[in-house]
Amino acid sequence: MYLNYPSRRMIIALVSFSFLLFSCSGNKQEKVESKISDPKLAKLQLPEGFHAEHLFGPSENGDGSWVAMTFDNKGRLIASDQYGGLYRMTLPPVGDTSRPVVEKLLLETDTIPGTDSTRTFVKMGYAHGLLYAFNSLYVMINHNKDKNFEKGSGLYRVQDTDGDDHFDKITLLKALDGEGEHGPHSIVLSPDKQSLYVIAGNFTKIPEMNKYDGAKDWQIDNLMPLIRDPNGHDDVVNTHGGWIAHIDSTGNNWELVANGFRNPFDLAFNDAGDMFTFDSDMEWDFGTPWYRPTRICQVTSGAEFGWRPGTDKWSPAYPDNLPPVLNIGQGSPTSVFYGGNARFPEKYRKAIYAFDWSFGIIYAIHLEPDGASYKAKGEEFISGAPLPLTDGLIGPDGALYFMTGGRRLESDLYRVYYGDNTLDIKNEAPAILTEAQKIRRNLEIFHSAPKTEAIATAWPYLKNNDRFIRYAARVAVEHQPVSQWQDKVFKETDPETMIQAAVALARTGSPAVKNQLINALTTIDYKKLSESQQIDLLRAFELVLLRMGKPDAATNSKLGEYLNAQYPGSTNNLNRSLSKILVYIDAPQAVEKTMALLATAKDDPDDQKTFTQSSDLIMRNPQYGMDIAGMLSKVPPQQQTYYAIVLSEAVNGWTPDLRDKYFKWFYTAFSYKGGHSFRGFINNARKIALSHIPKAEFAHFNTISGDSIATKSGNELADNAIQPKGPGRRWKEDNAVFLIDSLGINHGNFEQGKAMFAAALCIYCHTMKGEGGVAGPDLSQLGSRFSTKDILEAIIDPNKTISDQYGATVFSLKDGSSVTGRLVKQDDNTFFISQNPFAPQDLKEISKKNVQSTRVSEVSPMPAGLINRLNPEELRDLLAYLISGGNKDNAVYTGNDKKSESK
């Protein structure tokens, strides 16, 4: 689904409770009092002229946490609880403060067997997708059958057959093998309103289809040594990733449109009828060369986007998959919809809206035709913290409706409108397609059954300058019998055409032609190709090796000589492809040259450049932001990591000196701070490399490569902290104060309290008796200024009071984006802000001329729930340690007895 982050866990506090308690000094910023009394509205940042209404709180009313919505033919909103039933709401008009009328749908009551008692159960719900169309409610259930809900994952059609305004018929259109946050998701009406589209994440197997716009023979297709996620993620479908299908209203005919996504939740069509989705990242891959940020993708016929397990995700540069139109950055994508029916100014009416659950941002994506595809610019349209966005759409009244919730978080329904919501929407002429778009669509006609004119039509476009046209032409060729076009590949004299045709033949042809195909490709003058053409050529070689097998010795040698002359190449991307092919075919000098690159490789700062910078997200969500902060404090060298993984399978070409240098690299690599799986990937690559070492030398290389530290977590490496024994609880101020008073603060254990201070990683940001970080204030005098109750209140409810010395400032920029950080200093032209608690000295500069406005963030950089892993005794020990100022001789410990000292 949209929640791509691990479940809530104890993570680093950017600033601790003292941020909320210490008096202000230094740079001060006056907080402008909001005129909005409802805090749920006050936290929203809206463009000028827009207004928001808080309509309903499902959680407050015991109605669960809502994640999907649609409007029926009477203008009523229908919503689904992620773990419960369906609800139908009659909403008041804009400006009317009346409460919505809410009713629960499709409930049934029966008698519990063997008793006189009754029970009420949900007949329909657990939905990630809802759509009212064709006088029916389509429901995408995302749930495995259990005792609480008998229906499994799949697409259902719910109807009112007798016209009494109550649904009475439920039909399963297709069961789907997949469930959970990467299961089946949304349902969307086609632009012509005659059919439907459905979308599913990468834990959902593609069912048998009536038609495939792209290939059906999905393979991993990557020579990079496959190391699966060491934490067990993405071991379900392996090859095809998330997918989109086109179906009729009865659910009888299914057509696979695209695949190779990670976990897109929703899709939308613009006014030209082109489809877009918002695909997720894999945050555990953060800091690796195969990490891909969340991204806006245009989804064309037969599209493939290259998501594969573990290390084997495809480069966006490969010709057999399509690139995004815009990289967004870290986040958890949810809803996507088009603003066409909104009573908004034209700019926003023509935007695609994309929701990020993790960081509470609704992006407006502004599209500009660019050949057969689009250029895209992002704008932060609405944001707030916390604002876990789940679903949204434009209502029949022209207002934007959106919901928050998911994972049983607090859920709310909002309405956003422009002016007084009476802006007149003129009937606009249909979008005019570019000539390139027309060519692409004409080629897509051949993405189905073989057609006589397909090869003659598509072949000339294999060398077109537009990547989306080349892609459409190649897919058209692949849909035709190979016998009709194989000979054309070997007779082709144009290099670009031959390369694209070779990609098609490698994917669909017989292994019998592999030597002939490699020999034909080696006749191409490599140096006369552009960089993108060189990458395409290298990909063609790679696919031949993967799909058809290794060539004979003479052809293998010829390929090695051809590629060795080009290695190293002029860019990191070229060297990635060259290194893995040369190592795979065991080419002479492959190890020597790759080791030389490993020693000197530098990352490309603009590689996969994103609209939202990682550092700008740290303070938006202190929980998830801290993972980002940790990585940015010591970023893994991605290009070096790539070479190290490639070399893990190299058997020949090593000297003792090269082996020593290689294995020592791993020891250093364990000190880098990547995503949750980074260390596991590095360790598994190390183990693969060690499997090729002679037994007599294993112990040596195992030791110098870091065996003693390989399995330790980053936190353990950082401070070797004793972890809480628990069991923890969701602490509330009243019960925490009561229990601490009952246990007696003066019976606290100093060493245990110090350990809890480290286990929570407060020491990263705070100094205690000269030890610790500097992002936060010195806590040595905390106990002399504040009571136990004061301290507990600040820990448990960090948003209650935020000091402007340590609170974050939100800078709204004129380009529509925003940046959050702690304002450290400023001059006449520039704001200087600190965003990373692990590197507080690293300041980001913001030009004042680019700033529209500033405000103090209403959200504390310290996450709530910081103490929820601690049991009462551990909490008492932590409080005692804080009050003592890190001094074991402090009076707070005068009541210690032998039992408390020795526990």
Side-chain angles (χ1 to χ4, degrees):
M1 188 183 163
Y2 42 87
L3 306 172
N4 305 310
Y5 292 94
S7 300
R8 291 181 182 178
R9 63 191 187 278
M10 194 70 161
I11 54 176
I12 308 165
L14 171 60
V15 288
S16 196
F17 38 81
S18 57
F19 281 22
L20 317 177
L21 299 172
F22 276 67
S23 59
C24 305
S25 62
N27 295 298
K28 296 185 178 182
Q29 180 177 354
E30 182 180 354
K31 183 176 181 179
V32 179
E33 292 299 325
S34 173
K35 297 179 181 179
I36 302 174
S37 58
D38 185 343
K40 291 184 177 180
L41 294 176
K43 70 183 177 184
L44 299 180
Q45 297 303 301
L46 306 169
E48 185 177 354
F50 285 84
H51 310 280
E53 295 176 333
H54 177 235
L55 299 176
F56 186 67
S59 303
E60 297 170 1
N61 292 274
D63 294 326
S65 189
W66 292 2
V67 298
M69 64 191 296
T70 188
F71 281 94
D72 69 10
N73 59 342
K74 296 182 179 180
R76 296 171 297 189
L77 185 143
I78 300 175
S80 180
D81 174 17
Q82 185 178 2
Y83 306 105
L86 302 181
Y87 299 83
R88 185 164 63 189
M89 302 180 64
T90 301
L91 299 170
V94 169
D96 188 332
T97 58
S98 303
R99 286 179 58 84
V101 178
V102 184
E103 57 179 317
K104 297 181 180 180
L105 299 179
L106 293 161
L107 297 178
E108 189 167 306
T109 302
D110 67 0
T111 302
I112 300 174
T115 73
D116 295 329
S117 302
T118 61
R119 62 177 180 176
T120 300
F121 61 92
V122 174
K123 293 178 64 179
M124 180 56 59
Y126 291 79
H128 279 203
L130 296 173
L131 175 68
Y132 192 92
F134 305 106
N135 203 31
S136 306
L137 177 66
Y138 293 87
V139 181
M140 184 66 83
I141 291 179
N142 186 323
H143 180 74
N144 276 344
K145 297 179 182 179
D146 58 30
K147 63 180 181 180
N148 297 317
F149 189 63
E150 63 181 15
K151 293 178 175 61
S153 289
L155 179 62
Y156 295 76
R157 186 176 189 177
V158 184
Q159 296 169 286
D160 171 16
T161 61
D162 57 13
D164 66 352
D165 206 29
H166 294 285
F167 294 115
D168 52 39
K169 181 181 179 182
I170 300 175
T171 305
L172 172 62
L173 300 184
K174 186 176 284 289
L176 293 173
D177 187 356
E179 62 94 25
E181 293 172 354
H182 294 242
H185 297 314
S186 296
I187 318 148
V188 175
L189 191 63
S190 65
D192 63 5
K193 298 180 171 51
Q194 299 301 308
S195 55
L196 310 173
Y197 287 81
V198 296
I199 190 167
N202 61 319
F203 289 4
T204 311
K205 295 180 180 178
I206 296 178
E208 188 65 30
M209 299 277 172
N210 304 94
K211 176 184 173 185
Y212 297 82
D213 291 352
K216 183 180 178 181
D217 181 24
W218 309 287
Q219 298 186 26
I220 290 179
D221 283 338
N222 199 329
L223 284 178
M224 182 77 159
L226 174 58
I227 302 175
R228 294 183 179 274
D229 183 86
N231 291 296
H233 180 82
D234 200 14
D235 58 356
V236 179
V237 302
N238 293 317
T239 55
H240 61 64
W243 49 272
I244 294 173
H246 182 204
I247 66 175
D248 62 17
S249 63
T250 64
N252 290 320
N253 294 298
W254 286 64
E255 171 189 358
L256 184 68
V257 176
N259 65 277
F261 302 102
R262 184 183 183 241
N263 190 29
F265 184 80
D266 207 349
L267 62 92
F269 295 91
N270 69 353
D271 57 352
D274 285 319
M275 186 197 308
F276 297 86
T277 191
F278 187 18
D279 197 14
S280 68
D281 63 347
M282 172 46 168
E283 75 288 348
W284 292 0
D285 288 348
F286 211 21
T288 67
W290 51 89
Y291 172 77
R292 306 196 309 186
T294 66
R295 52 196 199 154
I296 303 296
C297 299
Q298 182 190 356
V299 185
T300 60
S301 172
E304 159 75 74
F305 288 93
W307 177 268
R308 296 298 186 269
T311 56
D312 277 8
K313 297 162 189 67
W314 299 1
S315 165
Y318 291 167
D320 48 334
N321 75 160
L322 288 172
V325 295
L326 181 67
N327 285 320
I328 295 293
Q330 284 76 40
S332 300
T334 51
S335 183
V336 181
F337 57 91
Y338 184 58
N341 294 322
R343 294 187 179 275
F344 291 177
E346 183 179 9
K347 170 186 176 182
Y348 295 109
R349 199 165 61 251
K350 290 184 176 293
I352 296 281
Y353 293 90
F355 285 19
D356 173 19
W357 182 89
S358 290
F359 297 102
I361 303 172
I362 298 177
Y363 294 102
I365 308 300
H366 304 290
L367 301 169
E368 177 185 347
D370 181 33
S373 183
Y374 294 84
K375 294 178 181 177
K377 294 181 179 179
E379 176 187 351
E380 188 178 300
F381 180 66
I382 297 173
S383 63
L387 196 68
L389 297 155
T390 55
D391 201 7
L393 45 75
I394 303 299
D397 59 356
L400 187 158
Y401 291 80
F402 71 86
M403 301 188 304
T404 63
R407 279 195 179 172
R408 296 189 170 88
L409 294 180
E410 185 176 9
S411 187
D412 290 286
L413 172 66
Y414 297 85
R415 173 165 57 200
V416 174
Y417 57 94
Y418 180 77
D420 59 1
N421 202 46
T422 61
L423 187 66
D424 185 35
I425 303 176
K426 298 179 181 178
N427 291 326
E428 299 177 355
I432 299 175
L433 299 180
T434 66
E435 287 302 312
Q437 288 171 332
K438 292 177 183 178
I439 292 171
R440 173 177 58 77
R441 292 190 183 191
N442 286 335
L443 289 167
E444 290 169 354
I445 295 172
F446 302 110
H447 294 181
S448 57
K451 291 182 173 62
T452 305
E453 69 275 23
I455 296 300
T457 303
W459 200 266
Y461 289 108
L462 290 173
K463 64 178 180 181
N464 193 274
N465 290 330
D466 190 300
R467 179 171 174 180
F468 279 73
I469 289 177
R470 292 198 304 274
Y471 185 93
R474 179 185 53 76
V475 173
V477 169
E478 289 182 7
H479 274 282
Q480 313 311 310
V482 175
S483 60
Q484 293 182 6
W485 54 273
Q486 177 173 291
D487 288 345
K488 288 178 67 65
V489 179
F490 299 113
K491 295 176 181 178
E492 184 58 58
T493 58
D494 177 77
E496 178 69 1
T497 303
M498 177 185 281
I499 291 169
Q500 300 301 325
V503 169
L505 186 57
R507 288 164 51 86
T508 59
S510 167
V513 301
K514 61 187 176 187
N515 293 325
Q516 185 181 2
L517 189 52
I518 288 176
N519 283 317
L521 290 171
T522 56
T523 65
I524 294 174
D525 190 337
Y526 184 93
K527 295 189 182 302
K528 288 185 178 180
L529 301 176
S530 66
E531 181 188 345
S532 65
Q533 290 172 330
Q534 290 173 349
I535 289 174
D536 290 356
L537 173 58
L538 295 173
R539 180 61 172 166
F541 283 127
E542 182 178 15
L543 288 170
V544 173
L545 295 169
L546 285 161
R547 294 274 183 136
M548 296 180 165
K550 285 189 176 181
D552 60 33
T555 305
N556 193 79
S557 177
K558 183 176 182 179
L559 175 61
E561 291 176 7
Y562 179 82
L563 295 181
N564 188 52
Q566 323 306 331
Y567 188 50
S570 58
T571 68
N572 281 347
N573 274 337
L574 287 171
N575 285 329
R576 289 183 182 189
S577 291
L578 284 163
S579 64
K580 66 179 175 179
I581 296 174
L582 286 165
V583 169
Y584 180 78
I585 65 174
D586 198 20
Q589 295 185 288
V591 168
E592 180 184 353
K593 286 187 173 184
T594 306
M595 279 298 299
L597 289 172
L598 176 66
T600 59
K602 303 296 182 183
D603 292 336
D604 296 326
D606 292 330
D607 184 42
Q608 298 198 74
K609 189 173 182 179
T610 59
F611 170 67
T612 302
Q613 294 185 39
S614 298
S615 60
D616 294 338
L617 295 172
I618 293 173
M619 292 189 178
R620 289 181 181 271
N621 185 324
Q623 287 188 312
Y624 301 135
M626 289 306 96
D627 290 335
I628 297 174
M631 197 278 287
L632 293 179
S633 69
K634 195 168 185 182
V635 180
Q638 296 183 26
Q639 191 69 10
Q640 290 182 29
T641 301
Y642 194 96
Y643 294 138
I645 302 290
V646 166
L647 287 166
S648 67
E649 290 284 16
V651 177
N652 302 311
W654 294 98
T655 66
D657 182 57
L658 287 177
R659 279 208 191 277
D660 260 33
K661 290 178 179 178
Y662 177 65
F663 282 102
K664 285 178 181 178
W665 180 90
F666 285 99
Y667 194 98
T668 302
F670 286 124
S671 68
Y672 298 121
K673 295 182 181 293
H676 187 54
S677 294
F678 174 77
R679 292 175 56 79
F681 278 121
I682 294 300
N683 193 36
N684 286 344
R686 183 184 74 93
K687 290 179 179 178
I688 293 171
L690 286 168
S691 71
H692 302 303
I693 294 294
K695 290 184 178 180
E697 301 175 29
F698 178 88
H700 167 69
F701 289 112
N702 189 39
T703 298
I704 67 171
S705 63
D707 180 65
S708 63
I709 60 174
T711 59
K712 292 183 178 181
S713 70
N715 288 356
E716 290 172 323
L717 283 174
D719 55 21
N720 296 313
I722 299 172
Q723 297 301 305
K725 296 178 181 178
R729 63 182 66 184
R730 187 171 293 181
W731 286 101
K732 303 295 182 183
E733 182 184 337
D734 290 345
N735 65 13
V737 171
F738 174 79
L739 283 171
I740 296 302
D741 287 345
S742 300
L743 291 171
I745 193 70
N746 61 340
H747 288 283
N749 182 302
F750 177 85
E751 296 300 334
Q752 182 72 8
K754 184 176 182 179
M756 293 305 98
F757 184 76
L761 299 182
C762 299
I763 198 169
Y764 267 90
C765 299
H766 300 285
T767 298
M768 187 73 83
K769 291 195 68 178
E771 296 181 348
V774 297
D778 190 323
L779 303 185
S780 301
Q781 303 301 317
L782 186 67
S784 65
R785 301 184 183 186
F786 304 104
S787 68
T788 301
K789 183 178 184 300
D790 292 333
I791 297 172
L792 283 169
E793 179 185 85
I795 296 173
I796 294 169
D797 188 7
N799 297 326
K800 189 171 184 178
T801 306
I802 304 174
S803 164
D804 63 1
Q805 182 181 359
Y806 296 107
T809 298
V810 180
F811 298 83
S812 298
L813 306 184
K814 293 177 181 178
D815 65 1
S817 64
S818 68
V819 177
T820 303
R822 184 165 65 89
L823 180 60
V824 175
K825 63 180 181 178
Q826 58 180 296
D827 58 28
D828 292 341
N829 302 312
T830 309
F831 292 112
F832 298 86
I833 64 171
S834 174
Q835 296 178 302
N836 192 338
F838 300 145
Q841 73 281 359
D842 293 343
L843 301 183
K844 182 185 183 76
E845 298 183 14
I846 305 174
S847 174
K848 288 187 173 181
K849 67 181 181 181
N850 295 331
V851 176
Q852 184 74 36
S853 62
T854 66
R855 63 181 177 85
V856 176
S857 175
E858 297 85 2
V859 180
S860 170
M862 171 187 166
L866 192 61
I867 58 173
N868 287 351
R869 282 202 306 167
L870 310 187
N871 64 35
E873 288 78 13
E874 289 166 336
L875 179 60
R876 183 268 315 274
D877 295 339
L878 173 62
L879 266 290
Y881 178 74
L882 291 168
I883 292 171
S884 76
N887 181 4
K888 192 171 184 178
D889 297 326
N890 190 286
V892 72
Y893 293 110
T894 57
N896 276 334
D897 54 23
K898 292 182 180 180
K899 182 178 179 180
S900 66
E901 281 291 329
S902 61
K903 68 179 180 182

